[in-house]
Amino acid sequence: MAHRSVTRIWHTLGHADAVHGLHYLLMHGVFALWDGGETALRLPSVLAVATASAGVALIGRGLAGPRAGVLAGLVFPLIPTVQRYAQEGRSYALVCALITWGTWLLLAAVGRRGRLRWGAYAAFMLTACLLHELAVVTLFAHGATVFRSGLPHPVIRAWGIAAGCVTVGLLPLAAFSVTQSEQVDWIGFPDLGQTTRFVVAALLGLLCARTLGRTPPRRTPPDRTPADTRDPADTRASADTRAPVELRTLALSLLILPTVLLVLLTPLRPLYVDRYVLSYTIGLALLIGAALDRIQRDTGRSRALRGAVSLTAAGAVLAALFPVGAYLRTPQSRQNDADAVARAVREAARPGDGVLFMPARRRVWTLARPEAFRGLSDLALERSPVASDTLHGTEFPPGRIRARVVAAHRIVAVHDLAGQPLEEDEREVAKRETLRTRFEECGSRTVTQARITVYARPGSC
């Protein structure tokens, strides 16, 4: 998509993927400056995670002190979900980075009021929402933080105005994207994997919040601790009590509220996918960083003991996350590996074979490695994705598809895994029924989330 002209991108957005339009235009600009292939595609996500890590560190520093900020900033890019989307050429890491700095600007506006800060906060949050409109649920987390912190009425009013501006700015995109809502019909109720990941993250965050809720033991009262022996962390802890926003309040709101809101909407319209609320990792990193800082302070005054605790904790975290991080860097970790699908088709096909995509949206797998499909006849395709200004191209009417399939001698079908709901579009029905009645299955293999099946005339396998 990003390699198309701006005019063609604009026309395509009129048919599909309007919610990703800003990201397509951004990547079009990146490729115009440097067409570095997959490296250029993934680079913005890598930079976004690095920028978000710095933002998390600053937020943690402002709410819990320098050491907690550094720890939170280091924890953030180690979270497996963050590692995954740091590698992908999609908008989710960019959205997370914008929300991170929007959160920092929110705290800056709350602490030192001014129209410029509130305007910057609204601008960052609106940009995040335009990159992916479901980022708007983060406003509820920010709102919960503002209201639960007991802030003055002028601050609450200023946040309300900023949030209203973001909402108004998002409305045109949201209204238009409703006309393309069939694109998210694939989203169902949260599966076991997504539910487990969220529950584990929420429980870990609540455990860290409970750790922060304990009053740290002190050998002597702060006001009687000699200035030359007083731990800077204790001074910081006293200052934390005067902060307008408490770290636990902000972090738990970010960690839990956006996900819960999308899950609660599921009976009306399933929209929950964990990457849509990737910003929950901001809250998790803040809580873990602050909890590690508190544990380190609670171990006593001995620098040697603190160093041992820090090294042990760091070693345990790295040992636990290394296998996960290594796995996330392999093709096997991807649910849809377009390269693997292209290789499987190339291995199964012979020159002159026909190819069918069932459903048509699976034609998107040809975009990564189009050379793997050269020499094959796309039996259903009338106009290519580029020529038709669409994502998946346009297909012939059902009768024409049936005639072209019948005329073929050998066909490679690229379709969903068994058990997935079948589309009842007339074109899809024509493909399935013609293959069932006129051909026999010669062999099939599964590649990530795709099934590659070879069909031939009866007795020709």
Side-chain angles (χ1 to χ4, degrees):
M1 273 290 294
H3 281 96
R4 301 182 188 183
S5 68
V6 173
T7 301
R8 286 201 173 275
I9 292 174
W10 185 257
H11 289 162
T12 302
L13 297 179
H15 303 294
D17 261 9
V19 293
H20 298 300
L22 182 58
H23 184 242
Y24 291 150
L25 293 171
L26 171 65
M27 293 311 302
H28 178 83
V30 170
F31 285 127
L33 293 173
W34 174 52
D35 193 351
E38 289 189 9
T39 301
L41 178 66
R42 300 175 194 272
L43 184 61
S45 293
V46 175
L47 296 177
V49 168
T51 304
S53 299
V56 169
L58 283 178
I59 294 170
R61 181 181 185 275
L63 296 180
R67 187 167 57 199
V70 169
L71 289 170
L74 292 174
V75 165
F76 177 77
L78 294 178
I79 297 173
T81 309
V82 176
Q83 291 190 55
R84 175 178 179 179
Y85 292 106
Q87 305 171 55
E88 297 198 355
R90 296 199 271 184
S91 64
Y92 306 112
L94 297 168
V95 172
C96 188
L98 287 165
I99 290 174
T100 301
W101 286 97
T103 303
W104 181 81
L105 287 165
L106 171 66
L107 297 175
V110 166
R112 299 177 62 185
R113 304 171 204 172
R115 293 183 179 179
L116 183 60
R117 292 183 179 86
W118 284 115
Y121 164 72
F124 269 71
M125 293 305 299
L126 177 58
T127 306
C129 293
L130 293 176
L131 273 173
H132 198 284
E133 61 187 29
L134 288 182
V136 73
V137 295
T138 310
L139 289 178
F140 290 93
H142 287 169
T145 301
V146 169
F147 282 98
R148 289 182 61 202
S149 297
L151 298 171
H153 180 72
V155 174
I156 296 175
R157 180 174 176 272
W159 175 82
I161 293 173
C165 290
V166 173
T167 304
V168 170
L170 178 63
L171 276 177
L173 174 62
F176 184 74
S177 65
V178 169
T179 65
Q180 302 174 358
S181 60
E182 71 280 355
Q183 286 192 270
V184 293
D185 285 346
W186 60 271
I187 301 177
F189 279 76
D191 59 30
L192 181 60
Q194 288 182 328
T195 304
T196 301
R197 285 192 293 271
F198 172 65
V199 170
V200 169
L203 290 176
L204 179 57
L206 290 170
L207 178 62
C208 292
R210 184 176 180 183
T211 301
L212 295 176
R214 297 202 315 265
T215 301
R218 304 181 189 277
R219 294 184 179 180
T220 55
D223 56 346
R224 292 200 306 231
T225 302
D228 56 346
T229 62
R230 186 178 300 172
D231 185 355
D234 291 337
T235 305
R236 182 185 65 246
S238 299
D240 289 347
T241 61
R242 298 192 296 271
V245 173
E246 191 179 31
L247 184 140
R248 288 186 306 169
T249 303
L250 172 65
L252 286 175
S253 297
L254 288 170
L255 173 61
I256 295 175
L257 197 55
T259 298
V260 169
L261 285 172
L262 288 187
V263 171
L264 289 176
L265 284 174
T266 298
L268 300 176
R269 178 71 180 185
L271 289 173
Y272 173 65
V273 181
D274 55 2
R275 61 179 177 265
Y276 293 171
V277 285
L278 185 61
S279 56
Y280 81 88
T281 55
I282 302 168
L284 181 60
L286 289 171
L287 288 165
I288 293 174
L292 290 174
D293 176 48
R294 173 58 59 86
I295 292 170
Q296 192 177 39
R297 283 195 280 123
D298 287 356
T299 57
R301 307 288 185 198
S302 170
R303 287 189 176 182
L305 181 58
R306 289 181 179 178
V309 170
S310 299
L311 289 175
T312 302
V317 170
L318 290 175
L321 292 179
F322 178 78
V324 179
Y327 173 72
L328 288 172
R329 285 161 176 77
T330 64
Q332 290 74 25
S333 68
R334 298 294 183 262
Q335 289 187 339
N336 290 303
D337 187 348
D339 286 344
V341 172
R343 286 194 300 270
V345 170
R346 187 171 62 246
E347 292 167 1
R350 300 171 186 170
D353 281 354
V355 62
L356 283 176
F357 295 94
M358 304 162 59
R361 65 175 180 274
R362 294 309 178 198
R363 191 172 284 107
V364 72
W365 284 328
T366 67
L367 302 181
R369 293 287 183 268
E371 65 276 4
F373 296 85
R374 291 195 184 116
L376 302 180
S377 175
D378 192 335
L379 300 175
L381 183 65
E382 181 177 20
R383 299 180 68 201
S384 71
V386 174
S388 60
D389 290 328
T390 62
L391 292 177
H392 315 119
T394 56
E395 296 193 335
F396 290 111
R400 182 76 183 278
I401 291 175
R402 189 177 295 108
R404 286 170 63 87
V405 172
V406 168
H409 294 279
R410 193 171 184 272
I411 297 172
V412 179
V414 183
H415 42 179
D416 290 335
L417 298 180
Q420 295 294 316
L422 298 176
E423 293 194 8
E424 296 304 322
D425 177 82
E426 291 182 359
R427 294 175 175 83
E428 300 303 329
V429 172
K431 297 174 194 176
R432 293 196 301 267
E433 290 301 311
T434 308
L435 288 175
R436 185 181 63 83
T437 58
R438 298 297 188 97
F439 292 81
E440 66 178 10
E441 184 177 320
C442 300
S444 183
R445 62 179 291 193
T446 298
V447 182
T448 62
Q449 294 297 301
R451 189 157 53 99
I452 313 298
T453 305
V454 176
Y455 292 89
R457 294 287 182 85
S460 302
C461 284

